[in-house]
Amino acid sequence: MTFSLELDDDLVQVRDWVHGFARDVVRPAAHEWDEREETPWPILREAARIGLYSLDFFAAQSLEPTGLGIPVAFEELFWGDGGIGEAIAGTGLAAASVAATGTPEQVEEWLPQMFGTPDDVAVSAFCSSEPEAGSDVSAIRTRAVHDEARDEWVLNGTKTWATNGGIARVHVIVASVAPELGARGQASFVVPPSTPGLEQGQKFRKHGIRASHTAEVVLRDVRVPGRCLVGGKDRLDERLARAREGRGGRGQVSMRTFEATRPSVGAMAVGIARAAYDYALGYAREREQFGRKIGDFQAIAFKLADCKCAIDAARLLVWRAAWMARTGRPFENAEGSMAKLVASETAVRVTEEAIQILGGNGYTRDYPVERMHRDAKIFTIFEGTSEIQRLVIGRAVTGLPVR
């Protein structure tokens, strides 16, 4: 059997296509949309026009047999810019949650609406975190109560840190249906477009990824039809019955979504790290001090060497986790968390070193490594902080309830 890490022709074509879009469309607009702190709708429309922002593209890459379709595409997209990249990729989290646990009918009904069409582009939001429930998803207080007479669910609560929250056409809300069961008593609900009672709360002004919209979502007596319970009522009842009997299940619904997307998030971080490294490398080859290119100094060359090693190591962890997930191999040692942890911390370290290599120039907004550094930091926080990733890995490798 031949072993190879070389991408096949189809993946090379996808990589080069996304890279071209990132180079020609995303990068020239990155500074403007970072300063505006607004969703870059013109770029989303252009991405939709060429088929990059579409259900078909996300589905095709998710089903790519090696599992590398999404990581390869996301690395290139985020090499272009973290904020615009997140604006394009953000809908994927909501789509992944319904694709992973929804019925075939729900997938067919809701996923196309999440993306819209090139003439009517839409975004969607996955809403899990709350003001008092960030890393501790078991503390979710948003409540969903079943109105049996009308077969409707009534949702009340406040979500926070929601990508595309409030501007999304479709929201996916994680809510408690059986509070006495804690995390095992939660379910996800699709809130259709223009449903009364769902409103955007405050929009957050962020340190980085500013072109990606992040806001609170407030739900006041939001009524959704029974068919909007992701996975359906029968499956929920079975899961709750197992929980009440003390039998194990697959865990909390938010964590299943985040587990599935961690390799993709790691790929985003690798893209940002690579962008900063590329820029610093080019700068070191051209910038002269003391009559020499600064890349000729060991202090700078060693920084670049360490950055290159870290980026390649992070990419390999991402690829391994993505391949394992696609081929049905369990994350026995929390390989998804490993990929996300190493890639996110690599992005922070590499972008910081890029600033150091550029010196004073790197600290200004006239050079892109400053923005890349701000964009990188969120990857150690969202979809599971570095501390939570270490906790998950620690529990996996020791088999003990690490606290």
Side-chain angles (χ1 to χ4, degrees):
M1 183 176 73
T2 302
F3 173 77
S4 175
L5 287 172
E6 189 172 4
L7 300 178
D8 65 24
D9 291 343
D10 289 342
L11 280 173
V12 169
Q13 186 176 11
V14 168
R15 181 196 66 193
D16 293 347
W17 177 56
V18 178
H19 182 82
F21 179 81
R23 180 193 62 228
D24 299 336
V25 179
V26 173
R27 278 205 164 181
H31 176 76
E32 174 190 353
W33 290 100
D34 176 72
E35 292 287 331
R36 291 175 63 167
E37 298 189 49
E38 296 175 359
T39 299
W41 291 108
I43 297 177
L44 279 171
R45 284 190 284 270
E46 178 62 16
R49 186 188 67 80
I50 66 171
L52 175 58
Y53 182 73
S54 69
L55 175 59
D56 288 345
F57 176 78
F58 276 76
Q61 299 315 310
S62 297
L63 295 174
E64 194 278 328
T66 67
L68 300 185
I70 290 293
V72 165
F74 279 5
E75 179 179 333
E76 300 306 322
L77 183 60
F78 281 72
W79 173 88
D81 179 61
I84 295 175
E86 183 62 21
I88 293 172
T91 292
L93 190 59
S97 69
V98 175
T101 59
T103 65
E105 294 78 14
Q106 289 171 331
V107 171
E108 183 178 358
E109 178 178 7
W110 298 115
L111 263 63
Q113 295 188 53
M114 290 182 177
F115 292 89
T117 67
D119 295 327
D120 184 24
V121 171
V123 295
S124 294
F126 180 75
C127 306
S128 176
S129 294
E130 298 184 359
E132 303 301 326
S135 297
D136 182 10
V137 293
S138 66
I140 284 174
R141 299 184 184 278
T142 295
R143 186 76 194 279
V145 177
H146 191 211
D147 182 344
E148 295 185 12
R150 301 171 61 176
D151 188 25
E152 293 181 338
W153 289 88
V154 184
L155 281 63
N156 283 280
T158 299
K159 294 295 181 179
T160 194
W161 308 120
T163 298
N164 298 328
I167 66 169
R169 182 166 296 173
V170 176
H171 291 77
V172 179
I173 308 292
V174 178
S176 176
V177 297
E180 72 279 5
L181 296 177
R184 292 183 296 173
Q186 296 172 2
S188 294
F189 298 85
V190 171
V191 179
S194 304
T195 299
L198 185 149
E199 300 175 355
Q200 178 183 308
Q202 67 168 319
K203 176 185 175 182
F204 295 105
R205 301 188 64 189
K206 305 189 300 292
H207 178 64
I209 59 167
R210 294 177 178 177
S212 173
H213 175 97
T214 308
E216 288 184 331
V217 174
V218 180
L219 304 113
R220 296 188 179 92
D221 292 329
V222 173
R223 286 183 169 270
V224 298
R227 63 184 173 83
C228 292
L229 167 61
V230 178
K233 186 70 162 55
D234 290 344
R235 192 183 303 177
L236 173 64
D237 289 343
E238 291 174 6
R239 182 161 56 83
L240 295 179
R242 289 196 302 270
R244 291 189 173 102
E245 293 170 4
R247 290 185 283 154
R250 291 184 58 205
Q252 198 270 342
V253 292
S254 291
M255 290 300 99
R256 292 203 296 272
T257 298
F258 294 145
E259 179 182 353
T261 59
R262 277 172 182 159
S264 299
V265 175
M268 299 173 186
V270 170
I272 293 174
R274 197 183 101 215
Y277 165 80
D278 286 349
Y279 197 92
L281 177 62
Y283 187 90
R285 287 170 169 168
E286 298 298 326
R287 173 73 166 171
E288 290 190 6
Q289 291 287 278
F290 307 103
R292 299 163 62 187
K293 307 292 187 185
I294 65 170
D296 192 35
F297 290 99
Q298 191 178 84
I300 301 300
F302 279 14
K303 286 182 183 295
L304 292 166
D306 287 343
C307 289
K308 179 61 173 173
C309 290
I311 291 167
D312 283 9
R315 182 186 296 110
L316 287 172
L317 283 174
V318 167
W319 283 15
R320 179 185 68 169
W323 171 78
M324 290 177 68
R326 181 68 183 94
T327 56
R329 289 163 170 80
F331 289 164
E332 293 182 352
N333 293 300
E335 286 84 355
S337 289
M338 287 185 191
K340 199 266 186 186
L341 172 66
V342 173
S344 62
E345 297 198 343
T346 293
V348 172
R349 184 167 66 254
V350 170
T351 54
E352 183 173 4
E353 290 286 43
I355 290 176
Q356 196 70 21
I357 290 169
L358 268 68
N361 286 335
Y363 198 66
T364 71
R365 293 192 180 184
D366 295 328
Y367 290 78
V369 293
E370 177 271 342
R371 184 183 68 251
M372 293 169 185
H373 184 54
R374 287 188 286 106
D375 289 346
K377 183 57 188 171
I378 191 59
F379 290 89
T380 66
I381 298 172
F382 73 174
E383 296 197 40
T385 64
S386 290
E387 291 74 22
I388 290 297
Q389 306 307 328
R390 287 186 168 88
L391 182 65
V392 172
I393 297 165
R395 286 174 174 170
V397 299
T398 65
L400 300 173
V402 178
R403 296 180 175 86

